[in-house]
Amino acid sequence: RRKCLEGGAMLCLDVPEGTEMRIDLQAWRAGPAFQGIKMIPPGLHLVSWAAGHETVGCLFAFRPGQVEVWRWDAREEDLDPIPDREEAERLALGVRNFDFDSRLGPYPEGQGEAWTRLTYLISSRVLQRSNISSGQKLSGAPSLSHQERQDEAGPQPPAHQDSSSRGPLFAAIPSLRKPVGMDASEVSKYNLDGSQRAQEMVTTHFRGHWEDLLGQLQLSFVMFIAISSLQALEHWKALVALLCTCGSLARSHPLVMSEFVRLLRREMEQMPEDFFRDELLSDSFLR
């Protein structure tokens, strides 16, 4: 019970049996008695689920004893926070009093360290810069169950997208161009070595904080892994490609580049087995 009190919890009421659920790196299908997750370690976590036609996720910065109270909306086929504050507080108190204990699955043992290694640079500044708030729904790819139904039914009209869910606002990566005032050798260096463009990103979007640039790299990666966000994948690919060309930066900011190499290696360890066979990477240097 000590772990329950020291960790957070997410109460998920009325989730249909068989619904795809996920927290951080662990995915499963909801059973008949499933009503949420307990013993969530303090810190940043990403909870996602199959919501009708798409995968939806939320980032939460859990505090000790924090309880999120959500309920399944059968009409919208989606989870939503319970709007009635009194009801939500009553249910949260029930979680703290262990009234739901037998129906809450524990946070996967041993997963916390692996998740922290992938997210330790995603600070509140990074989330704010990416226009993400705690509990905000983030849209991902079509859910597996929806895709299976589509394959059986044949072509379908475009599905309605919940206006309450949206993607993040990632920092723009400077494009290759011929900057004004540069001679031929400087233009070549600018286009072949990404160091100056990376510096422009950090100065323009992250107020000089290199760790926030790497934090957004981590954010885009976990959004791709957890909710299959193609927007996040494209940003991750472009940012990795840029940083891998930063020869000058490796000399001027060796700690930044060594941290980049370290986190990229950790991300490679979590890639799906078929990632490098995916058509989305057909023209990528990562293959």
Side-chain angles (χ1 to χ4, degrees), residues 16 45 73 96 110 130 147 182 190 213 216 223 227 250 277:
H45 297 279
D73 185 322
R96 296 187 184 99
S130 305
Q147 191 63 51
M182 286 188 178
Y190 182 87
L213 174 69
Q216 193 167 90
M223 285 190 59
I227 64 174
R277 299 193 299 270

Side-chain angles (χ1 to χ4, degrees), residues 53-81:
H53 65 283
E54 66 178 347
T55 302
V56 173
C58 287
L59 283 160
F60 297 99
F62 277 99
R63 303 181 305 275
Q66 177 180 341
V67 178
E68 288 289 330
V69 182
W70 292 51
R71 176 177 284 137
W72 188 262
D73 185 322
R75 185 175 65 86
E76 296 293 337
E77 296 185 317
D78 198 1
L79 272 173
D80 287 303

Side-chain angles (χ1 to χ4, degrees), residues 13-21 29-32 34 72-74 77:
L13 299 176
D14 303 330
V15 175
E17 183 178 357
T19 298
E20 304 159 44
M21 299 289 300
R29 289 185 182 271
F34 173 78
W72 188 262
D73 185 322
E77 296 185 317

Side-chain angles (χ1 to χ4, degrees), residues 123-134:
S123 63
S124 58
R125 273 200 321 251
V126 171
L127 294 176
Q128 184 177 15
R129 170 60 189 82
S130 305
N131 197 32
I132 295 175
S133 56
S134 182

Side-chain angles (χ1 to χ4, degrees), residues 79-151:
L79 272 173
D80 287 303
I82 290 181
D84 188 311
R85 186 170 179 177
E86 288 188 6
E87 181 184 10
E89 290 179 350
R90 176 176 54 80
L91 290 168
L93 181 61
V95 172
R96 296 187 184 99
N97 289 335
F98 304 102
D99 296 343
F100 297 90
D101 201 52
S102 63
R103 287 162 284 176
L104 299 178
Y107 184 86
E109 187 175 358
Q111 187 189 106
E113 182 178 352
W115 176 252
T116 299
R117 284 159 58 91
L118 293 174
T119 59
Y120 62 96
L121 291 175
I122 305 178
S123 63
S124 58
R125 273 200 321 251
V126 171
L127 294 176
Q128 184 177 15
R129 170 60 189 82
S130 305
N131 197 32
I132 295 175
S133 56
S134 182
Q136 171 193 321
K137 289 194 207 175
L138 301 166
S139 301
S143 66
L144 178 60
S145 57
H146 173 72
Q147 191 63 51
E148 291 169 348
R149 292 195 301 269
Q150 260 195 341
D151 293 342

